[in-house]
Each structure stands twice: as C-alpha cells, then as structure tokens.
Amino acid sequence: MNRCSDTLPPQTSGNALPTTTGATTPARTLWVGLLAALAAVAIPAALTATLALTAPMAWAQGVGRPIPADVKFGKLMITQPPDVMMDGSPDRMSPGARIRHTNNLLVMSGPLVGLTLPVIYRRDTYGLIHEVWLLTPEEAARLDNSTGAAFTQALNTLLGIIFGGRR
C-alpha cells in the first residue's frame, strides 16, 4: 500500500462498477448532454399536453351544475349530529350527509352545532336530510319575503345562483 500516492484508486462497493472521482469521459459527457436536451424538450411538451387536456375540464367547472328538482328551503339547527331541528321539528341527517358552505366547500357539522341557519336541503330515499347548502343572509332574505309563485320564482333564481357558482 502506497500512502504517498496523489491518485486515488477506483472506488468499488459490492458488485458495483468502479467509479472514478472527478473524471469525465466523452461518453459520459455525451450522455449528460443528451439527457439535458431531452429534458429541455420533454418537460415543456408534457406540460403543454397536460394543460391542453385539463383546460376543457377547468372550463366545464365554471358552467354550473344541474339544479336538483327536489330541494326545499328551511331553517336548520344542528343539535347533536346526526340529530337536527329542521324548521323547529326534530329530524335526522343521513350517514354521509354533505353540508356545503356559501363558498361551496364542504363543512363539518361540529362547528355548526347550536346555530340556526337558513338552508336549501335535499332528502335521500329514506327521508333523511342528505345534502344541505348554507345560504347567505341576502339569499335567505330573498326567500323569506316571498310566498306562492313569488317564492318559486325566488327559489329558482337562487338555485341558479348557487348551482351556477355564485358569480
């Protein structure tokens, strides 16, 4: 073993091929250059393809959703989930019930316990409350002040706003 040598022997570990420290070969330089050129072309091409495929989906989200025909207006108070009071009478929410806030994001029932909220809701096939949309005070005032045909008109207008994305 020569301890005075300036050059280091190739490092090996197990069955790996010997590697040199700091030395580059023309084949290695060509390989690195090829990878860099491929990355410069492939990454923008992949991004362009991804955007081209997802842009129609993003546009479709702004169009709105179909308005369910079986929604009703009411005042909801969550007592102890899944038990609720709907318009002053005891009721129950279904397993997997969804409560949507005014920004259309899902809200858990826990923070709403004890609050009386104006909502539009929908029942499932068993008669349990399954979907709930919380209303803003302005939306609720529109529905509270109308009766009969005016109520139906106000509800349809409001549903158009809610399911159209509240623009």
Side-chain angles (χ1 to χ4, degrees):
M1 182 187 251
N2 186 358
R3 294 185 183 181
C4 298
S5 174
D6 290 340
T7 60
L8 297 173
Q11 301 292 321
T12 60
S13 60
N15 294 334
L17 296 174
T19 59
T20 58
T21 56
T24 58
T25 62
R28 185 173 184 170
T29 306
L30 178 65
W31 179 248
V32 170
L34 180 63
L35 284 177
L38 183 63
V41 173
I43 292 173
L47 283 173
T48 304
T50 302
L51 289 175
L53 292 174
T54 58
M57 288 184 267
W59 176 80
Q61 290 175 356
V63 172
R65 300 171 283 179
I67 299 172
D70 55 347
V71 293
K72 297 177 184 173
F73 173 71
K75 300 279 185 181
L76 174 74
M77 184 174 86
I78 299 176
T79 54
Q80 183 174 358
D83 296 325
V84 298
M85 299 287 283
M86 182 60 75
D87 294 326
S89 61
D91 213 332
R92 194 167 176 87
M93 296 189 77
S94 70
R98 293 181 291 246
I99 303 172
R100 295 192 181 271
H101 199 271
T102 55
N103 56 7
N104 213 26
L105 295 176
L106 291 177
V107 180
M108 303 308 285
S109 58
L112 305 176
V113 170
L115 300 175
T116 300
L117 303 164
V119 297
I120 291 177
Y121 66 97
R122 172 186 209 176
R123 295 187 180 272
D124 65 3
T125 54
Y126 299 106
L128 301 173
I129 298 170
H130 186 63
E131 291 180 295
V132 176
W133 292 269
L134 302 180
L135 301 177
T136 63
E138 297 83 24
E139 294 168 340
R142 258 197 251 170
L143 291 177
D144 276 343
N145 297 333
S146 39
T147 58
F151 175 78
T152 305
Q153 169 86 21
L155 180 62
N156 286 335
T157 303
L158 186 59
L159 289 175
I161 292 169
I162 291 171
F163 288 98
R166 283 194 170 102
R167 291 177 209 159

